[in-house]
Amino acid sequence: MEAAQNDSNNLTPEVIKKLIESAHEAKKKSHSPYSNFRVGAAILTEEGKTIRGCNVENASYTLGLCAERVAIFKAVSDGYTNFKALAIACDVKDADLAPCGACRQIMHEFGGEYKVILSRTDFTYRTMTMKELLPMGFGQQDLKRPRMNYNNNN
Ligand code: THU
């Protein structure tokens, strides 16, 4: 049992394939009547759990949320903050979907080491690290850096 769990934690081609399938399944739940642009995301946590998300749009357009952030917020609110990989799926033909800047920053919050899998409709994929997607991302450490004293007049 434990061995099976460990196996599923290794990013073998089989594990990646399953995660991509999950992202494409998540995409089917997309609520995107305004853009008609479906996106799905699937996170593999260090514990071996898969958590899915899809983009959720709103009649008040700016309130919609991307699939990546929905998946991350679901994971974190369920107590999972250590990610092994995050796969993304959309319907764009013959190209990788690169996550938007806001999602990259949210993804960065949970470590620079995990793999981001940009999948295509034929389930082929390209793998990138968080650091490649967002070099010099703003993080918790930046808030701890020494700062100048200031008052409201300068
Ligand atoms: N979208 C995502 O869900 N993820 C991305 O990486 C890029 C864009 C969504 C937001 C919106 O619902 C639709 O795709 C069109 O921008």
Side-chain angles (χ1 to χ4, degrees), residues 35 37 39 55 57 66-68 97-100:
S35 69
F37 193 91
V39 186
N55 56 331
E57 297 183 349
C66 294
E68 297 89 328
L97 174 73
C100 80

Side-chain angles (χ1 to χ4, degrees), residues 18-19 22-23 41-45 48-52:
K18 275 179 83 173
L19 199 63
S22 279
I43 294 169
L44 179 65
T45 71
K49 200 169 164 61
T50 301
I51 295 170
R52 296 173 177 178

Side-chain angles (χ1 to χ4, degrees), residues 30-32 35-40 54-57 64-69 88 97-100 103:
S30 166
H31 176 72
S32 43
S35 69
N36 290 312
F37 193 91
R38 303 186 307 168
V39 186
C54 63
N55 56 331
V56 182
E57 297 183 349
L65 206 57
C66 294
E68 297 89 328
R69 274 178 282 168
I88 305 167
L97 174 73
C100 80
C103 285

Side-chain angles (χ1 to χ4, degrees), residues 47 72-73 76-77 106 108 133 149:
E47 296 82 355
I72 290 173
F73 292 158
V76 174
S77 58
I106 297 291
H108 174 269
L133 277 168
N149 289 330

Side-chain angles (χ1 to χ4, degrees), residues 11-121:
L11 278 183
T12 61
E14 292 72 30
V15 169
I16 291 176
K17 183 169 177 276
K18 275 179 83 173
L19 199 63
I20 290 172
E21 283 168 3
S22 279
H24 282 272
E25 276 304 307
K27 181 181 72 177
K28 294 179 186 169
K29 300 279 195 295
S30 166
H31 176 72
S32 43
Y34 309 105
S35 69
N36 290 312
F37 193 91
R38 303 186 307 168
V39 186
I43 294 169
L44 179 65
T45 71
E46 287 286 355
E47 296 82 355
K49 200 169 164 61
T50 301
I51 295 170
R52 296 173 177 178
C54 63
N55 56 331
V56 182
E57 297 183 349
N58 192 276
S60 178
Y61 295 162
T62 57
L63 301 183
L65 206 57
C66 294
E68 297 89 328
R69 274 178 282 168
V70 170
I72 290 173
F73 292 158
K74 277 179 69 183
V76 174
S77 58
D78 275 348
Y80 298 98
T81 53
N82 297 311
F83 305 155
K84 211 163 179 61
L86 185 157
I88 305 167
C90 67
D91 297 312
V92 173
K93 284 185 190 157
D94 308 322
D96 313 312
L97 174 73
C100 80
C103 285
R104 291 181 201 205
Q105 178 61 32
I106 297 291
M107 288 153 72
H108 174 269
E109 178 76 9
F110 299 97
E113 300 307 324
Y114 64 90
K115 293 272 188 292
V116 180
I117 299 158
L118 311 178
S119 80
R120 308 180 192 102
T121 49

